[in-house]
């Protein structure tokens, strides 16, 4: 059962491509809430084990302890309803149920801060973040730097590997690209170069 307090809740969404500082900004806001002596809880999806099993971690190695959940519904089951601020990282791995969960938390008087990708490797809207944007009181769009030309980057370029929608990886498989340099999908030349390099570096 949701516990409704006298506080007014709201939703903040931090979105953008990989390497744009989303997790760093999420951690910054959560730390400010802790300094203000607010009760804070943090959640991350179990699928994301890139840097830590039980922390949210920025690419710049800022870290914060978090609870690990398999889906958004588990947040409702595990949350301490006395918490005033709820942080969620990697929203794009949480599924569409996160929208209703965020709404319930905000309606119960909590400040809900969510970070995630807003587009996928094809440049398409990446659920559930676009729907969260429609419900949010505050939206922050972060931009990275295009590795090809140095312009502001809004896309996450997948360099190789699977064509599945969700593939958890880091800088070895993704890079930030601007609108001009972005190639939806997997660049064929990059894939070929990767295969050649792998063959060339294989033991004789």
């Amino acid at each position: 059962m949701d516990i409704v307090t006298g506080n007014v809740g709201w939703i903040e969404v931090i979105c953008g491509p990989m390497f744009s500082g989303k997790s760093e900004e999420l951690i910054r806001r959560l730390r400010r809430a802790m300094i203000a002596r607010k009760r804070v809880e943090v959640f991350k999806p179990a699928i994301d084990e890139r840097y830590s099993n039980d922390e949210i971690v920025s690419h710049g190695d800022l870290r914060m302890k978090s609870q690990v959940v398999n889906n958004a519904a588990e947040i409702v089951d595990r949350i301490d309803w006395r918490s005033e601020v709820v942080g969620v990282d990697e929203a794009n791995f949480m599924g569409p149920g996160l929208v209703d969960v965020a709404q319930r938390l905000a309606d119960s008087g909590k400040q809900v801060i969510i970070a995630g990708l807003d587009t996928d490797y094809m440049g398409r809207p990446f659920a559930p973040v676009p729907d969260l944007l429609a419900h949010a009181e505050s939206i922050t769009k972060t931009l990275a730097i295009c590795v090809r030309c140095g312009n502001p980057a809004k896309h996450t370029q997948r360099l190789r590997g699977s064509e599945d929608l969700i593939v958890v990886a880091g800088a070895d498989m993704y890079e930030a690209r601007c609108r001009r340099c972005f190639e939806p999908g997997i660049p064929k030349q990059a894939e070929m170069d990767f295969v050649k390099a792998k063959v060339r570096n294989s033991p004789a």
Side-chain angles (χ1 to χ4, degrees):
M1 177 183 295
D2 298 357
I3 299 176
V4 179
T5 69
N7 298 324
V8 176
W10 68 89
I11 299 172
E12 303 174 20
V13 177
I14 305 162
C15 64
M18 289 181 67
F19 315 112
S20 65
K22 299 183 302 301
S23 295
E24 184 174 341
E25 176 62 16
L26 173 63
I27 292 171
R28 185 188 72 84
R29 295 187 192 186
L30 294 173
R31 284 181 173 168
R32 284 174 61 89
M34 290 175 177
I35 292 171
R37 299 184 183 279
K38 293 184 178 180
R39 189 185 293 268
V40 176
E41 280 193 274
V42 189
F43 296 89
K44 63 172 281 185
I47 192 175
D48 184 12
E49 299 177 328
R50 287 172 295 178
Y51 305 114
S52 172
N53 291 326
D54 59 355
E55 297 171 306
I56 58 173
V57 184
S58 74
H59 290 291
D61 205 37
L62 290 177
R63 295 170 179 264
M64 179 174 284
K65 275 287 186 181
S66 65
Q67 298 188 55
V68 178
V69 293
N70 292 303
N71 52 60
E74 284 190 22
I75 296 175
V76 176
D77 294 335
R78 297 174 58 180
I79 195 169
D80 181 342
W81 287 97
R82 296 172 298 173
S83 295
E84 300 164 276
V85 181
V86 180
V88 181
D89 199 19
E90 301 295 349
N92 40 285
F93 298 147
M94 288 287 195
L98 183 59
V99 178
D100 287 338
V101 169
Q103 288 278 78
R104 289 178 63 184
L105 296 175
D107 289 344
S108 71
K110 304 185 189 310
Q111 177 185 358
V112 185
I113 313 174
I114 299 172
L117 299 172
D118 53 351
T119 57
D120 64 16
Y121 79 108
M122 294 295 293
R124 303 168 299 196
F126 200 165
V129 173
D131 287 332
L132 286 165
L133 296 178
H135 293 287
E137 279 81 0
S138 171
I139 298 168
T140 300
K141 174 84 170 187
T142 58
L143 295 174
I145 301 297
C146 179
V147 299
R148 291 297 180 90
C149 68
N151 283 317
K154 66 184 286 287
H155 289 290
T156 301
Q157 181 74 62
R158 185 176 293 178
L159 300 176
R160 59 179 175 79
S162 172
E163 294 185 358
D164 293 341
L165 176 60
I166 295 179
V167 177
V168 182
D172 62 326
M173 194 164 178
Y174 294 100
E175 65 185 23
R177 297 271 186 96
C178 70
R179 179 185 297 271
R180 182 179 63 186
C181 297
F182 177 61
E183 302 170 71
I186 303 171
K188 298 304 180 185
Q189 189 59 46
E191 177 73 8
M192 290 173 58
D193 291 344
F194 172 76
V195 172
K196 290 176 182 177
K198 187 174 180 180
V199 171
R200 185 167 55 248
N201 295 328
S202 296

